[in-house]
Amino acid sequence: MADLLGQVHSAAGDYLASLAARPVQDRDALALLAELGGPLPEKGSEPGEVIERLLRVGAAAGTASSGPRFFHFVTGGVTPAALAADWAAALFDQNAFSKISSPFAHEVETVALRWLRELFGLPESWGGALVGSATFANFTSLGCATHWWGFQLGVDTAEDGLAELPRMPVLSSGYVHASARKALQMLGHGRNSVTVCARDGVGRVDLGVMRHHLNRLKGAPSVIIANAGEVNAGDFDPIGELAELAAEFGAWLHVDGAFGLFAALSPRTAHLVEGIGRADSIAADAHKWLNVPYESGFALVRDQARLGSAFGMPGAAYLPGPGDPASGYALYGPESSRRARSLPIWATLAAYGKQGHREMVERHLDLAQHLAARVDAAPELERLADVPLSIVCFRAAPAGVADLDDFNRRLGAALLEDGRVYAGTTLYDGRIALRPAIVNWRTTEADIDLFVDVVRELSQKVSHEVGTRAS
Ligand SMILES: *Cc1c(COP(=O)(O)O)cnc(C)c1O
């Protein structure tokens, strides 16, 4: 077994060293994926050969999304300490189910959750759950909100579900993320349960409209979702004002802070999440801006006991019940058996501290401003939004192009096909745009400059294609 791990270890050095220069995606290498197919082997092969094949194909055909020039979605890298600790999590193969299945994993998770609360300046008394992603953190948070809401109406939804209840009112701005809707869909409310209160095509919240809807509920309990960091331009709902509304109308305030919660780390951006301490629940990702490996997200919940009420299991005789001192995090979140995903979170916080993570966030803020300046300086590029955080929303707008949406769709496709750098397109205020997001510790100014150079080069190429087609 140690020999197999040695194979991974020796491949790791080369792979990690290659990240600085390799393209994000080598399309030609995708042909190698055929080597992993074929029928399920009857007898199996020599494990050393199997692992050699996996490493060879993965190193060539894998997406270098942990490298410095992957700006698509919101994709973090992996700090050295987090990667090593993730290997350790696989090595120890703990079941972070309960204090009995692994006192070690249980304790590290307790410390990791406490450190996360400290990192974001949240009260020690809050509860939390480490989950696989921000989608699951939204699910966990809105699961708690659902239980709270049912309780207001005299129903224990964990016992009896939603059948006796009206539809749960959910209000948000146009910034509400698809995964919050997916969480509502999984919880049985349906993804259309959200009433969007937006005042413009960007999706900025209309507080007057939200107040109007809350008034119409005549005191019935409801849930407000505030968005800390939306994905198109990194903008924020006014959390403090939404907290005021939630307090006035007795609503549950949930904040989706998948990456935007990290604004709390820097005095330069902390004002963006002002009021977050008044939330009832917060969802965030660790595999984005904390730079730990997938799959890692977390929910932080003001009323710790609510997690147990919403996610406790009806103790099978061989399992610990909720009040049992041997119970654990399986009873405070949606999963039962689970890996020790606390280990990389613990390790990165232990290794780099509050200061290291603040410095990383601030480096990304600077890089985003640098990117915005390069966009502003390029005559054929047009920035579409302010840059409050680390996403820059812009499009190509070369002179004489009639259909800019079509042009930018082509540009986005050309960028992915080229593979040197990666960024995705979106629809921002009715316009197709690029929206590179910078949250990887490896990214340097040179990477940003290369990104702009590649975008400009491909924009020229698309101009020629479009021009040729038109003539
Ligand atoms: C990424 C993101 C999510 C979903 O996160 P996953 O980790 O992909 O599940 C939710 N909300 C926001 C604002 C996000 O940026």
Side-chain angles (χ1 to χ4, degrees), residues 74 133-136 138 177 179 229-231 256 258-259 285 287-288:
V74 181
S133 64
T135 299
F136 262 89
N138 276 328
H177 191 267
S179 77
E230 56 73 51
V231 289
D256 179 353
F259 61 93
D285 258 324
H287 59 219
K288 288 177 181 167

Side-chain angles (χ1 to χ4, degrees), residues 233-310:
D235 197 16
F236 287 69
D237 283 331
I239 298 169
E241 289 177 81
L242 292 172
E244 283 297 317
L245 272 184
E248 186 182 334
F249 289 90
W252 177 285
L253 179 64
H254 169 61
V255 179
D256 179 353
F259 61 93
L261 180 58
F262 287 74
L265 269 59
S266 167
R268 287 160 54 182
T269 45
H271 63 278
L272 296 169
V273 288
E274 210 175 298
I276 201 151
R278 297 171 68 187
D280 295 291
S281 57
I282 301 171
D285 258 324
H287 59 219
K288 288 177 181 167
W289 222 342
L290 196 66
N291 278 245
V292 307
Y294 293 104
E295 308 156 339
S296 193
F298 54 93
L300 300 173
V301 178
R302 169 188 300 281
D303 177 9
Q304 187 160 21
R306 188 65 64 186
L307 284 158
S309 319

